[in-house]
């Protein structure tokens, strides 16, 4: 029997990228994994991949922006397994980031759609799953925020606001339900190599991030999946309301450090 045997883990956006890596991580540890994703093609594929090695995965196609679908998902999980041990709020409307610019250049509708896709979705998922967690007297909620929610962004105005809101949702949930056994934490990645970054990112953008990092290279999905797993297990039992940066040290660094390092290493002196 492994650590996660008998545990039910719901992962939104579990059909791709970081959510997919996290689904495999929990499945390999013996959990029952529910993949709640709107991707009708990838969801059954990830379910099948997990089942191939004996894992217990269930794809339940869900759009987490839709409250009715979220409630139906949790109802189904409750009826079938009677519990939710881990809720991993990972899905976000990343297709909106392409047109998410500065304050003056971003459409107000896009701003609202981003909040709906990135934080309202986590709010309704949390609201739906909490009663089961409170009934069982335990649970861990792990929300994916972003470095974009921790400091000002040159672009991605709406995305950054939504991720800052995810952090506040995380803290409030932790404070309100900690005494009843439910923890809630957030993870703030910087760049993680997923299809999202491949689609919307640029090689230049990746170089800029890498220059600002203390770690030698940008993250891969498993780097985040391992931290989600840690936050779901008793190893992290005293950690709640926390925002854990998985960013290779960007947020720890002074903004001047990338240029400073270049200069110290004999690169060109800074000019105005
Ligand atoms: N990749 C990065 O560099 C990076 C950095 C910081 C934060 N993040 C955050 O990490 C999370 C995952 O990103 P990723 O890079 O793995 O993206 P991804 O595009 O690879 O995967 C996202 C998944 O979410 C699903 N999804 C989107 N909207 C949904 C909805 N309304 N309902 C259900 N499922 C939905 C998609 O179908 C997809 O399977 C997001 O919250 C993102 O904001 C990513």
């Amino acid at each position: 029997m492994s650590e996660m045997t008998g545990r039910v883990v719901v992962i939104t956006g579990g059909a791709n990228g970081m959510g997919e890596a996290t689904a495999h991580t929990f499945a390999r540890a013996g959990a029952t994994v529910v993949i709640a994703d709107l991707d009708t093609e990838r969801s059954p594929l990830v379910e099948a991949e997990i089942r191939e090695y004996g894992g217990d995965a269930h794809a339940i196609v869900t759009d987490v922006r839709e409250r009715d679908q979220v409630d139906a998902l949790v109802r189904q999980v409750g009826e079938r397994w009677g519990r939710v041990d881990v809720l991993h709020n990972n899905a976000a409307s990343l297709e909106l980031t392409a047109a998410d610019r500065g304050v003056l250049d971003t459409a107000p509708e896009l701003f609202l759609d981003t909040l709906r896709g990135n934080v309202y979705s986590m709010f309704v998922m949390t609201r739906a799953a909490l009663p089961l967690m409170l009934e069982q007297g335990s649970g861990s909620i792990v929300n994916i925020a972003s470095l974009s929610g921790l400091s000002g962004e040159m672009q991605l105005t709406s995305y950054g606001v939504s991720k800052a809101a995810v952090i506040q949702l995380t803290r409030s949930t932790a404070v309100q339900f900690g005494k009843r056994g439910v923890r809630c934490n957030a993870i703030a990645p910087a760049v993680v190599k997923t299809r999202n970054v491949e689609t919307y990112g640029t090689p230049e953008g990746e170089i800029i991030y890498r220059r600002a990092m203390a770690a030698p290279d940008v993250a891969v999905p498993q780097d985040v999946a391992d931290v989600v797993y840690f936050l779901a297990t008793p190893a992290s039992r005293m950690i709640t309301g926390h925002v854990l940066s998985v960013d290779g040290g960007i947020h720890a660094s002074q903004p001047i450090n990338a240029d400073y390092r270049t200069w110290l290493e004999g690169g060109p002196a800074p000019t105005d």
Side-chain angles (χ1 to χ4, degrees):
M1 201 159 96
S2 47
E3 188 171 38
M4 283 283 158
T5 302
R7 302 284 181 215
V8 178
V9 180
V10 177
I11 301 177
T12 75
N16 287 283
M18 291 152 45
E20 180 185 354
T22 305
H24 282 288
T25 301
F26 279 97
R28 285 203 189 92
T32 293
V33 175
V34 177
I35 296 161
D37 199 301
L38 51 63
D39 189 328
T40 50
E41 279 175 31
R42 294 273 319 149
S43 297
L45 289 180
V46 176
E47 177 191 90
E49 270 172 29
I50 290 175
R51 282 171 181 252
E52 239 168 63
Y53 55 78
D56 187 24
H58 305 262
I60 303 179
V61 172
T62 309
D63 183 339
V64 290
R65 294 168 297 190
E66 300 298 331
R67 192 177 159 196
D68 290 353
Q69 293 189 32
V70 163
D71 288 345
L73 163 77
V74 176
R75 205 166 39 246
Q76 210 175 317
V77 171
E79 280 165 9
R80 180 134 187 213
W81 294 286
R83 57 189 303 116
V84 176
D85 297 284
V86 181
L87 167 62
H88 180 34
N89 282 317
N90 161 74
S93 294
L94 296 167
E95 69 285 357
L96 300 176
T97 56
D100 190 8
R101 305 287 178 199
V103 171
L104 291 176
D105 306 314
T106 298
E109 297 73 21
L110 183 133
F111 184 86
L112 283 179
D113 287 347
T114 302
L115 293 187
R116 186 178 177 92
N118 296 6
V119 63
Y120 170 81
S121 54
M122 294 195 188
F123 172 72
V124 290
M125 272 302 310
T126 301
R127 230 173 159 265
L130 265 169
L132 280 171
M133 290 183 168
L134 294 175
E135 205 179 302
Q136 72 210 22
S138 65
S140 176
I141 302 172
V142 183
N143 298 329
I144 295 290
S146 170
L147 176 67
S148 304
L150 289 168
S151 44
E153 277 282 6
M154 290 298 289
Q155 304 198 65
L156 295 176
T157 304
S158 321
Y159 182 79
V161 170
S162 74
K163 292 300 189 178
V166 167
I167 291 169
Q168 184 61 4
L169 174 65
T170 300
R171 291 183 177 135
S172 297
T173 306
V175 165
Q176 290 168 24
F177 301 101
K179 292 279 189 217
R180 298 168 72 186
V182 178
R183 295 188 294 121
C184 184
N185 290 289
I187 294 173
V191 179
V192 185
K193 285 199 174 187
T194 63
R195 65 162 195 176
N196 148 46
V197 165
E198 275 151 25
T199 311
Y200 305 112
T202 58
E204 293 82 2
E206 193 176 312
I207 292 167
I208 290 170
Y209 271 100
R210 209 160 353 100
R211 270 168 50 82
M213 286 167 52
D217 208 351
V218 299
V220 293
Q222 194 61 45
D223 292 316
V224 176
D226 290 340
V227 178
V228 178
Y229 188 84
F230 165 68
L231 290 173
T233 60
S236 60
R237 75 181 190 96
M238 290 307 284
I239 302 177
T240 193
H242 189 70
V243 185
L244 215 164
S245 291
V246 182
D247 66 356
I250 292 187
H251 196 61
S253 182
Q254 299 245 24
I256 59 167
N257 280 351
D259 285 341
Y260 205 43
R261 187 187 299 118
T262 307
W263 187 34
L264 284 176
E265 287 171 355
T271 50
D272 236 352

Short mmCIF file of all heavy atoms in Angstrom, two decimals, residues 12-20 36-40 42-43 62-66 89-95 97 116-118 121-122 144-148 159 163 187-197 200 219 221 224, ligand 1:
data_model
loop_
_atom_site.label_atom_id
_atom_site.label_comp_id
_atom_site.label_asym_id
_atom_site.label_seq_id
_atom_site.Cartn_x
_atom_site.Cartn_y
_atom_site.Cartn_z
N THR A 12 -7.86 20.17 -11.52
CA THR A 12 -8.43 20.90 -12.66
C THR A 12 -7.32 21.18 -13.66
O THR A 12 -6.17 21.43 -13.28
CB THR A 12 -9.11 22.22 -12.21
OG1 THR A 12 -8.11 23.20 -11.89
CG2 THR A 12 -10.03 22.01 -11.01
N GLY A 13 -7.66 21.11 -14.94
CA GLY A 13 -6.63 21.28 -15.97
C GLY A 13 -5.63 20.15 -15.96
O GLY A 13 -4.46 20.35 -16.28
N GLY A 14 -6.09 18.95 -15.62
CA GLY A 14 -5.18 17.80 -15.50
C GLY A 14 -4.86 17.11 -16.81
O GLY A 14 -4.18 16.08 -16.81
N ALA A 15 -5.33 17.67 -17.93
CA ALA A 15 -5.14 16.98 -19.21
C ALA A 15 -3.90 17.44 -19.97
O ALA A 15 -3.57 16.89 -21.02
CB ALA A 15 -6.38 17.18 -20.09
N ASN A 16 -3.22 18.46 -19.46
CA ASN A 16 -2.04 18.99 -20.14
C ASN A 16 -1.06 19.55 -19.12
O ASN A 16 -1.44 19.83 -17.97
CB ASN A 16 -2.43 20.16 -21.07
CG ASN A 16 -3.15 19.69 -22.31
OD1 ASN A 16 -2.55 19.19 -23.24
ND2 ASN A 16 -4.46 19.86 -22.32
N GLY A 17 0.15 19.76 -19.56
CA GLY A 17 1.13 20.56 -18.82
C GLY A 17 1.37 20.15 -17.38
O GLY A 17 1.52 18.96 -17.05
N MET A 18 1.38 21.13 -16.50
CA MET A 18 1.67 20.88 -15.10
C MET A 18 0.62 19.99 -14.45
O MET A 18 0.92 19.12 -13.63
CB MET A 18 1.74 22.22 -14.35
CG MET A 18 2.94 23.03 -14.75
SD MET A 18 2.74 24.83 -14.58
CE MET A 18 1.99 24.98 -13.01
N GLY A 19 -0.65 20.21 -14.81
CA GLY A 19 -1.74 19.41 -14.23
C GLY A 19 -1.60 17.95 -14.61
O GLY A 19 -1.85 17.04 -13.80
N GLU A 20 -1.18 17.70 -15.85
CA GLU A 20 -0.99 16.32 -16.32
C GLU A 20 0.15 15.65 -15.53
O GLU A 20 0.01 14.51 -15.06
CB GLU A 20 -0.66 16.35 -17.82
CG GLU A 20 -0.43 15.00 -18.42
CD GLU A 20 0.00 15.09 -19.89
OE1 GLU A 20 0.02 16.21 -20.46
OE2 GLU A 20 0.35 14.04 -20.45
N ALA A 36 -10.26 16.97 -14.07
CA ALA A 36 -11.38 17.86 -14.41
C ALA A 36 -10.88 18.89 -15.40
O ALA A 36 -10.29 19.89 -15.03
CB ALA A 36 -11.91 18.52 -13.15
N ASP A 37 -11.10 18.62 -16.67
CA ASP A 37 -10.55 19.47 -17.73
C ASP A 37 -11.59 19.61 -18.82
O ASP A 37 -12.41 18.71 -19.02
CB ASP A 37 -9.26 18.82 -18.27
CG ASP A 37 -8.37 19.80 -19.01
OD1 ASP A 37 -8.84 20.38 -20.01
OD2 ASP A 37 -7.21 19.98 -18.60
N LEU A 38 -11.54 20.71 -19.56
CA LEU A 38 -12.51 20.87 -20.66
C LEU A 38 -11.99 20.29 -21.98
O LEU A 38 -12.70 20.29 -22.98
CB LEU A 38 -12.92 22.34 -20.84
CG LEU A 38 -11.90 23.47 -20.95
CD1 LEU A 38 -11.02 23.36 -22.14
CD2 LEU A 38 -12.63 24.79 -20.93
N ASP A 39 -10.76 19.82 -21.98
CA ASP A 39 -10.16 19.26 -23.19
C ASP A 39 -10.70 17.84 -23.41
O ASP A 39 -10.25 16.88 -22.78
CB ASP A 39 -8.63 19.25 -23.04
CG ASP A 39 -7.92 18.89 -24.34
OD1 ASP A 39 -8.48 18.12 -25.13
OD2 ASP A 39 -6.79 19.38 -24.54
N THR A 40 -11.65 17.74 -24.35
CA THR A 40 -12.32 16.45 -24.54
C THR A 40 -11.42 15.42 -25.24
O THR A 40 -11.67 14.23 -25.17
CB THR A 40 -13.61 16.62 -25.39
OG1 THR A 40 -13.26 17.38 -26.55
CG2 THR A 40 -14.69 17.33 -24.61
N ARG A 42 -7.75 15.32 -24.92
CA ARG A 42 -6.62 14.94 -24.08
C ARG A 42 -7.08 14.25 -22.78
O ARG A 42 -6.38 13.38 -22.27
CB ARG A 42 -5.78 16.17 -23.71
CG ARG A 42 -5.07 16.83 -24.86
CD ARG A 42 -3.71 16.23 -25.14
NE ARG A 42 -2.97 15.95 -23.94
CZ ARG A 42 -2.10 14.96 -23.80
NH1 ARG A 42 -1.88 14.16 -24.83
NH2 ARG A 42 -1.45 14.78 -22.68
N SER A 43 -8.23 14.62 -22.24
CA SER A 43 -8.64 14.06 -20.94
C SER A 43 -8.70 12.53 -20.95
O SER A 43 -8.07 11.89 -20.11
CB SER A 43 -9.99 14.65 -20.51
OG SER A 43 -9.87 16.04 -20.33
N THR A 62 -15.01 18.87 -17.62
CA THR A 62 -15.62 19.96 -16.85
C THR A 62 -15.02 21.28 -17.28
O THR A 62 -13.81 21.39 -17.45
CB THR A 62 -15.29 19.79 -15.33
OG1 THR A 62 -15.61 18.48 -14.91
CG2 THR A 62 -16.05 20.80 -14.48
N ASP A 63 -15.89 22.27 -17.44
CA ASP A 63 -15.41 23.65 -17.62
C ASP A 63 -15.53 24.34 -16.26
O ASP A 63 -16.65 24.60 -15.79
CB ASP A 63 -16.28 24.36 -18.68
CG ASP A 63 -15.78 25.77 -18.96
OD1 ASP A 63 -15.06 26.34 -18.11
OD2 ASP A 63 -16.13 26.30 -20.04
N VAL A 64 -14.40 24.63 -15.65
CA VAL A 64 -14.45 25.12 -14.26
C VAL A 64 -14.90 26.58 -14.17
O VAL A 64 -15.04 27.11 -13.06
CB VAL A 64 -13.10 24.92 -13.52
CG1 VAL A 64 -12.84 23.45 -13.25
CG2 VAL A 64 -11.93 25.56 -14.27
N ARG A 65 -15.17 27.21 -15.31
CA ARG A 65 -15.78 28.56 -15.27
C ARG A 65 -17.28 28.47 -15.03
O ARG A 65 -17.93 29.47 -14.74
CB ARG A 65 -15.54 29.29 -16.59
CG ARG A 65 -14.09 29.62 -16.86
CD ARG A 65 -13.89 30.07 -18.28
NE ARG A 65 -14.22 29.00 -19.23
CZ ARG A 65 -13.95 29.03 -20.53
NH1 ARG A 65 -13.37 30.09 -21.05
NH2 ARG A 65 -14.27 28.03 -21.32
N GLU A 66 -17.83 27.27 -15.21
CA GLU A 66 -19.28 27.09 -15.13
C GLU A 66 -19.66 26.44 -13.80
O GLU A 66 -19.36 25.27 -13.56
CB GLU A 66 -19.77 26.21 -16.30
CG GLU A 66 -19.49 26.78 -17.67
CD GLU A 66 -20.19 28.12 -17.90
OE1 GLU A 66 -21.27 28.37 -17.30
OE2 GLU A 66 -19.64 28.93 -18.67
N ASN A 89 -6.34 23.24 -7.71
CA ASN A 89 -6.87 24.24 -8.64
C ASN A 89 -5.73 24.73 -9.54
O ASN A 89 -4.92 25.56 -9.13
CB ASN A 89 -7.45 25.42 -7.86
CG ASN A 89 -8.81 25.13 -7.27
OD1 ASN A 89 -9.67 24.53 -7.93
ND2 ASN A 89 -9.04 25.55 -6.04
N ASN A 90 -5.71 24.20 -10.76
CA ASN A 90 -4.58 24.45 -11.65
C ASN A 90 -5.01 25.11 -12.97
O ASN A 90 -4.26 25.88 -13.56
CB ASN A 90 -3.88 23.10 -11.90
CG ASN A 90 -3.00 23.10 -13.11
OD1 ASN A 90 -1.92 23.68 -13.11
ND2 ASN A 90 -3.46 22.46 -14.19
N ALA A 91 -6.24 24.85 -13.41
CA ALA A 91 -6.68 25.34 -14.74
C ALA A 91 -6.73 26.86 -14.77
O ALA A 91 -7.02 27.52 -13.78
CB ALA A 91 -8.05 24.76 -15.07
N ALA A 92 -6.44 27.40 -15.94
CA ALA A 92 -6.56 28.84 -16.16
C ALA A 92 -6.83 29.08 -17.64
O ALA A 92 -6.48 28.25 -18.48
CB ALA A 92 -5.27 29.55 -15.74
N SER A 93 -7.44 30.23 -17.95
CA SER A 93 -7.78 30.56 -19.34
C SER A 93 -6.56 31.18 -20.03
O SER A 93 -6.52 32.38 -20.31
CB SER A 93 -8.95 31.54 -19.38
OG SER A 93 -10.11 30.92 -18.90
N LEU A 94 -5.59 30.33 -20.34
CA LEU A 94 -4.31 30.85 -20.84
C LEU A 94 -4.40 31.37 -22.27
O LEU A 94 -3.56 32.16 -22.70
CB LEU A 94 -3.25 29.77 -20.69
CG LEU A 94 -3.01 29.42 -19.22
CD1 LEU A 94 -2.21 28.15 -19.08
CD2 LEU A 94 -2.32 30.56 -18.50
N GLU A 95 -5.44 30.94 -22.99
CA GLU A 95 -5.60 31.44 -24.37
C GLU A 95 -5.83 32.95 -24.38
O GLU A 95 -5.60 33.61 -25.38
CB GLU A 95 -6.74 30.69 -25.08
CG GLU A 95 -8.16 30.97 -24.59
CD GLU A 95 -8.52 30.32 -23.24
OE1 GLU A 95 -7.69 29.58 -22.69
OE2 GLU A 95 -9.63 30.58 -22.75
N THR A 97 -4.16 35.13 -22.69
CA THR A 97 -2.94 35.90 -22.41
C THR A 97 -2.37 36.58 -23.67
O THR A 97 -1.68 37.58 -23.57
CB THR A 97 -1.84 35.02 -21.77
OG1 THR A 97 -1.57 33.90 -22.62
CG2 THR A 97 -2.25 34.52 -20.38
N ARG A 116 -12.64 35.42 -14.56
CA ARG A 116 -13.56 34.27 -14.52
C ARG A 116 -12.81 32.94 -14.72
O ARG A 116 -13.03 31.98 -14.00
CB ARG A 116 -14.63 34.45 -15.61
CG ARG A 116 -15.71 33.40 -15.56
CD ARG A 116 -16.75 33.64 -16.63
NE ARG A 116 -17.73 32.58 -16.60
CZ ARG A 116 -18.84 32.61 -15.90
NH1 ARG A 116 -19.14 33.68 -15.19
NH2 ARG A 116 -19.67 31.60 -15.91
N GLY A 117 -11.92 32.95 -15.68
CA GLY A 117 -11.20 31.70 -16.00
C GLY A 117 -10.15 31.34 -14.96
O GLY A 117 -9.88 30.16 -14.72
N ASN A 118 -9.55 32.34 -14.33
CA ASN A 118 -8.38 32.06 -13.48
C ASN A 118 -8.67 32.07 -11.99
O ASN A 118 -7.97 31.39 -11.24
CB ASN A 118 -7.27 33.08 -13.76
CG ASN A 118 -6.75 32.99 -15.17
OD1 ASN A 118 -7.28 32.25 -16.00
ND2 ASN A 118 -5.73 33.76 -15.47
N SER A 121 -13.14 30.58 -11.15
CA SER A 121 -13.15 29.11 -11.31
C SER A 121 -12.61 28.43 -10.03
O SER A 121 -13.16 27.44 -9.56
CB SER A 121 -12.30 28.72 -12.51
OG SER A 121 -11.00 29.29 -12.39
N MET A 122 -11.54 28.98 -9.47
CA MET A 122 -10.97 28.38 -8.26
C MET A 122 -11.88 28.62 -7.05
O MET A 122 -11.98 27.79 -6.16
CB MET A 122 -9.57 28.97 -7.99
CG MET A 122 -8.56 28.59 -9.06
SD MET A 122 -6.86 28.91 -8.54
CE MET A 122 -5.98 28.59 -10.07
N ILE A 144 -2.72 27.09 -8.08
CA ILE A 144 -1.59 27.60 -8.87
C ILE A 144 -1.77 29.10 -9.09
O ILE A 144 -2.71 29.55 -9.76
CB ILE A 144 -1.46 26.87 -10.22
CG1 ILE A 144 -1.11 25.39 -10.00
CG2 ILE A 144 -0.37 27.54 -11.06
CD1 ILE A 144 0.29 25.09 -9.48
N ALA A 145 -0.87 29.85 -8.48
CA ALA A 145 -0.82 31.29 -8.72
C ALA A 145 0.27 31.52 -9.77
O ALA A 145 0.38 30.77 -10.74
CB ALA A 145 -0.53 32.01 -7.41
N SER A 146 1.09 32.52 -9.58
CA SER A 146 2.18 32.80 -10.54
C SER A 146 3.05 33.91 -9.98
O SER A 146 2.59 34.74 -9.18
CB SER A 146 1.57 33.25 -11.87
OG SER A 146 2.58 33.74 -12.73
N LEU A 147 4.28 33.94 -10.47
CA LEU A 147 5.13 35.10 -10.20
C LEU A 147 4.41 36.38 -10.62
O LEU A 147 4.56 37.43 -9.99
CB LEU A 147 6.44 34.94 -11.00
CG LEU A 147 7.45 36.08 -10.94
CD1 LEU A 147 8.03 36.22 -9.53
CD2 LEU A 147 8.57 35.87 -11.95
N SER A 148 3.58 36.26 -11.66
CA SER A 148 2.83 37.42 -12.17
C SER A 148 1.88 38.01 -11.13
O SER A 148 1.44 39.14 -11.28
CB SER A 148 1.99 37.02 -13.38
OG SER A 148 2.80 36.48 -14.38
N TYR A 159 -3.96 38.93 -16.27
CA TYR A 159 -3.43 37.66 -15.72
C TYR A 159 -2.82 37.91 -14.35
O TYR A 159 -3.08 37.17 -13.40
CB TYR A 159 -2.39 37.10 -16.70
CG TYR A 159 -1.79 35.78 -16.30
CD1 TYR A 159 -2.49 34.59 -16.49
CD2 TYR A 159 -0.51 35.71 -15.73
CE1 TYR A 159 -1.92 33.37 -16.13
CE2 TYR A 159 0.05 34.49 -15.37
CZ TYR A 159 -0.66 33.32 -15.58
OH TYR A 159 -0.11 32.12 -15.21
N LYS A 163 -3.96 36.34 -10.72
CA LYS A 163 -3.10 35.48 -9.90
C LYS A 163 -2.87 36.09 -8.52
O LYS A 163 -2.71 35.36 -7.53
CB LYS A 163 -1.78 35.22 -10.62
CG LYS A 163 -1.94 34.36 -11.88
CD LYS A 163 -2.54 32.98 -11.58
CE LYS A 163 -2.50 32.05 -12.76
NZ LYS A 163 -3.02 30.72 -12.46
N ILE A 187 1.09 27.91 -5.16
CA ILE A 187 2.41 27.79 -5.77
C ILE A 187 2.54 28.89 -6.81
O ILE A 187 1.61 29.13 -7.58
CB ILE A 187 2.58 26.40 -6.44
CG1 ILE A 187 2.55 25.31 -5.36
CG2 ILE A 187 3.86 26.33 -7.24
CD1 ILE A 187 2.54 23.90 -5.91
N ALA A 188 3.67 29.56 -6.78
CA ALA A 188 3.90 30.64 -7.76
C ALA A 188 5.08 30.28 -8.66
O ALA A 188 6.23 30.54 -8.32
CB ALA A 188 4.16 31.96 -7.02
N PRO A 189 4.78 29.66 -9.81
CA PRO A 189 5.86 29.38 -10.77
C PRO A 189 6.19 30.64 -11.57
O PRO A 189 5.40 31.59 -11.63
CB PRO A 189 5.27 28.31 -11.69
CG PRO A 189 3.92 27.98 -11.14
CD PRO A 189 3.50 29.12 -10.28
N ALA A 190 7.36 30.60 -12.23
CA ALA A 190 7.71 31.68 -13.16
C ALA A 190 7.48 31.15 -14.57
O ALA A 190 6.40 31.31 -15.11
CB ALA A 190 9.14 32.12 -12.95
N VAL A 191 8.48 30.48 -15.14
CA VAL A 191 8.28 29.84 -16.45
C VAL A 191 8.41 28.34 -16.27
O VAL A 191 9.38 27.86 -15.70
CB VAL A 191 9.31 30.29 -17.49
CG1 VAL A 191 9.07 29.59 -18.82
CG2 VAL A 191 9.24 31.79 -17.69
N VAL A 192 7.41 27.63 -16.77
CA VAL A 192 7.45 26.17 -16.76
C VAL A 192 7.24 25.73 -18.20
O VAL A 192 6.31 26.20 -18.86
CB VAL A 192 6.33 25.59 -15.87
CG1 VAL A 192 6.47 24.08 -15.77
CG2 VAL A 192 6.33 26.24 -14.50
N LYS A 193 8.09 24.84 -18.67
CA LYS A 193 8.00 24.44 -20.09
C LYS A 193 6.78 23.57 -20.34
O LYS A 193 6.81 22.36 -20.13
CB LYS A 193 9.27 23.72 -20.50
CG LYS A 193 10.42 24.68 -20.68
CD LYS A 193 11.51 24.06 -21.52
CE LYS A 193 12.58 25.12 -21.79
NZ LYS A 193 13.58 24.71 -22.71
N THR A 194 5.70 24.20 -20.75
CA THR A 194 4.47 23.48 -21.11
C THR A 194 4.04 23.97 -22.49
O THR A 194 4.61 24.93 -23.01
CB THR A 194 3.34 23.78 -20.11
OG1 THR A 194 3.03 25.18 -20.18
CG2 THR A 194 3.72 23.42 -18.68
N ARG A 195 2.98 23.39 -23.02
CA ARG A 195 2.50 23.82 -24.35
C ARG A 195 2.04 25.27 -24.30
O ARG A 195 2.10 25.99 -25.29
CB ARG A 195 1.34 22.93 -24.81
CG ARG A 195 0.13 23.09 -23.92
CD ARG A 195 -1.16 22.62 -24.49
NE ARG A 195 -2.22 23.19 -23.67
CZ ARG A 195 -3.50 23.06 -23.90
NH1 ARG A 195 -3.90 22.38 -24.95
NH2 ARG A 195 -4.38 23.61 -23.10
N ASN A 196 1.60 25.70 -23.12
CA ASN A 196 1.17 27.08 -22.95
C ASN A 196 2.32 28.03 -23.24
O ASN A 196 2.19 28.99 -23.99
CB ASN A 196 0.60 27.20 -21.52
CG ASN A 196 0.80 28.54 -20.88
OD1 ASN A 196 0.56 29.57 -21.50
ND2 ASN A 196 1.23 28.53 -19.64
N VAL A 197 3.49 27.72 -22.67
CA VAL A 197 4.67 28.56 -22.90
C VAL A 197 5.13 28.42 -24.35
O VAL A 197 5.51 29.39 -25.00
CB VAL A 197 5.79 28.17 -21.91
CG1 VAL A 197 7.13 28.73 -22.32
CG2 VAL A 197 5.43 28.65 -20.52
N TYR A 200 2.38 30.53 -26.38
CA TYR A 200 2.26 31.98 -26.17
C TYR A 200 3.59 32.64 -25.84
O TYR A 200 3.71 33.86 -25.88
CB TYR A 200 1.24 32.28 -25.05
CG TYR A 200 -0.10 31.65 -25.32
CD1 TYR A 200 -0.58 30.61 -24.54
CD2 TYR A 200 -0.88 32.09 -26.39
CE1 TYR A 200 -1.80 30.00 -24.81
CE2 TYR A 200 -2.10 31.49 -26.67
CZ TYR A 200 -2.55 30.45 -25.87
OH TYR A 200 -3.76 29.86 -26.14
N ALA A 219 11.90 25.81 -15.30
CA ALA A 219 11.29 24.61 -14.72
C ALA A 219 10.61 23.75 -15.79
O ALA A 219 10.20 24.24 -16.85
CB ALA A 219 10.27 25.03 -13.67
N PRO A 221 7.34 20.67 -15.98
CA PRO A 221 6.12 20.40 -15.20
C PRO A 221 6.35 19.57 -13.93
O PRO A 221 5.72 19.82 -12.90
CB PRO A 221 5.22 19.67 -16.21
CG PRO A 221 5.64 20.25 -17.53
CD PRO A 221 7.11 20.47 -17.44
N VAL A 224 6.93 21.34 -10.63
CA VAL A 224 5.75 21.86 -9.93
C VAL A 224 4.95 20.71 -9.33
O VAL A 224 4.50 20.78 -8.17
CB VAL A 224 4.88 22.71 -10.89
CG1 VAL A 224 3.60 23.17 -10.20
CG2 VAL A 224 5.68 23.91 -11.39
N1 LIG B 1 3.62 27.36 -17.79
C1 LIG B 1 4.03 28.39 -17.11
O1 LIG B 1 5.09 28.96 -17.39
C2 LIG B 1 3.24 28.90 -15.95
C3 LIG B 1 3.84 29.85 -15.11
C4 LIG B 1 3.14 30.32 -14.01
C5 LIG B 1 1.86 29.83 -13.76
N2 LIG B 1 1.30 28.94 -14.61
C6 LIG B 1 -0.04 28.46 -14.30
O2 LIG B 1 -0.01 27.06 -14.27
C7 LIG B 1 -1.31 26.53 -14.56
C8 LIG B 1 -1.19 25.46 -15.64
O3 LIG B 1 -0.56 26.00 -16.77
P1 LIG B 1 0.14 25.11 -17.90
O4 LIG B 1 1.28 25.88 -18.39
O5 LIG B 1 0.32 23.72 -17.40
O6 LIG B 1 -1.00 25.16 -19.02
P2 LIG B 1 -1.53 24.10 -20.09
O7 LIG B 1 -2.16 24.91 -21.17
O8 LIG B 1 -0.46 23.14 -20.48
O9 LIG B 1 -2.65 23.33 -19.29
C9 LIG B 1 -3.77 23.99 -18.81
C10 LIG B 1 -4.92 23.01 -18.76
O10 LIG B 1 -6.07 23.69 -18.22
C11 LIG B 1 -7.21 23.31 -18.98
N3 LIG B 1 -8.24 24.36 -18.86
C12 LIG B 1 -8.18 25.63 -19.29
N4 LIG B 1 -9.31 26.27 -19.00
C13 LIG B 1 -10.13 25.37 -18.38
C14 LIG B 1 -11.44 25.42 -17.85
N5 LIG B 1 -12.17 26.55 -17.92
N6 LIG B 1 -11.95 24.32 -17.30
C15 LIG B 1 -11.24 23.17 -17.23
N7 LIG B 1 -9.98 23.06 -17.71
C16 LIG B 1 -9.44 24.15 -18.28
C17 LIG B 1 -6.69 23.17 -20.40
O11 LIG B 1 -7.57 22.41 -21.21
C18 LIG B 1 -5.35 22.49 -20.14
O12 LIG B 1 -5.49 21.09 -20.11
C19 LIG B 1 -2.15 27.74 -14.93
O13 LIG B 1 -2.87 28.14 -13.78
C20 LIG B 1 -1.13 28.79 -15.29
O14 LIG B 1 -1.62 30.09 -15.12
C21 LIG B 1 1.96 28.47 -15.70
#
